[in-house]
Amino acid sequence: MKRTSFAQWPCSIARTMDLLGDWWTPLVLRDAFYGVRRFDEFQQALGIARNTLADRLKRLVDEGLLEKVAYQTEPVRYDYVLTEKGRDFYPVLLAMTRWGDKWLSSEAGPPITVHHAACGHDTHAEIVCAECREPMTPDDTRMRRGPGFPPRLAQRPDVEARFARQE
C-alpha cells in the first residue's frame, strides 16, 4: 500500500512527519546524537533490519540531515555524520523526551536524563518564545497563516474556520 505524502502540505508538522515517515528514523537520529556513526553500530544499537536501516540512512542523507564521509577505501565504508540540518533536529528529540518522561516513565523515573554540561545540571527541554523568553503554552499561543501558506487554500471555508478558531 502506497502511503500518502505530506511533503507539499502547508504544515511544517505534516512535512516533518513525511520526512520521518516511521518510528525508526527518529531513533536513527537519536543514536547519531549519541555518537553512533557507522552502519554496523546503528544496526547493533537499534536491532533494526539491515535493509530498513539502509533505507532510513539513505533518506536522511538525501534529505541533508546526515552526510556520508568515507573512513575506509578498500572496501569503501562510510561514517554517517550529522549536518547542520540534522543537528537542528535535536530540540525536537528533547521535546519528545520531555513528553515521554512526563507521561510514559515508570515509577522509577525517566530512563535517560539530559545533562547540560554548560551549567552542570540535569534538565529537560523547555519551549520558550524566541522574543520574550517566556514559556509557550497552548493557552497563550495562536497559529496563523504564514507567508508560505498557499493562497489557493487560504479562502477555503474549512481553512478560514480553522484559523478563525485561533483568534
Side-chain angles (χ1 to χ4, degrees):
M1 175 185 287
K2 185 173 172 26
R3 73 177 178 90
T4 301
S5 174
F6 299 128
Q8 301 304 314
W9 279 36
C11 173
S12 294
I13 295 170
R15 290 175 180 176
T16 300
M17 292 312 299
D18 189 76
L19 185 146
L20 295 177
D22 69 312
W23 54 80
W24 286 116
T25 303
L27 296 176
V28 170
L29 287 167
R30 178 205 62 190
D31 279 12
F33 284 107
Y34 281 163
V36 175
R37 296 170 67 123
R38 298 192 173 159
F39 186 95
D40 290 340
E41 293 172 337
F42 281 111
Q43 202 276 322
Q44 181 180 11
L46 294 169
I48 184 173
R50 295 180 72 81
N51 63 324
T52 303
L53 177 58
D55 289 346
R56 298 318 175 268
L57 289 171
K58 181 181 183 328
R59 173 115 174 142
L60 290 168
V61 169
D62 290 348
E63 292 291 338
L65 282 83
L66 294 175
E67 179 182 14
K68 285 172 68 171
V69 178
Y71 70 87
Q72 177 179 310
T73 56
E74 294 293 330
V76 178
R77 297 196 190 273
Y78 297 96
D79 279 338
Y80 292 88
V81 181
L82 287 160
T83 63
E84 179 182 1
K85 185 176 180 180
R87 288 188 303 276
D88 273 353
F89 196 75
Y90 192 61
V92 177
L93 291 177
L94 289 180
M96 291 171 68
T97 299
R98 180 170 186 198
W99 187 88
D101 287 350
K102 180 175 181 176
W103 296 104
L104 304 175
S105 288
S106 69
E107 289 184 24
I112 304 288
T113 57
V114 177
H115 184 79
H116 189 221
C119 72
H121 290 94
D122 288 345
T123 190
H124 60 266
E126 189 76 34
I127 305 300
V128 299
C129 173
E131 298 298 323
C132 70
R133 312 308 289 171
E134 290 294 317
M136 295 177 67
T137 69
D139 295 332
D140 62 13
T141 57
R142 304 292 177 264
M143 301 296 185
R144 296 184 176 167
R145 287 175 285 231
F149 196 88
R152 64 181 168 71
L153 297 179
Q155 303 306 315
R156 281 185 18 191
D158 61 318
V159 172
E160 286 181 345
R162 179 187 315 145
F163 287 101
R165 285 191 293 265
Q166 292 285 308
E167 295 176 9

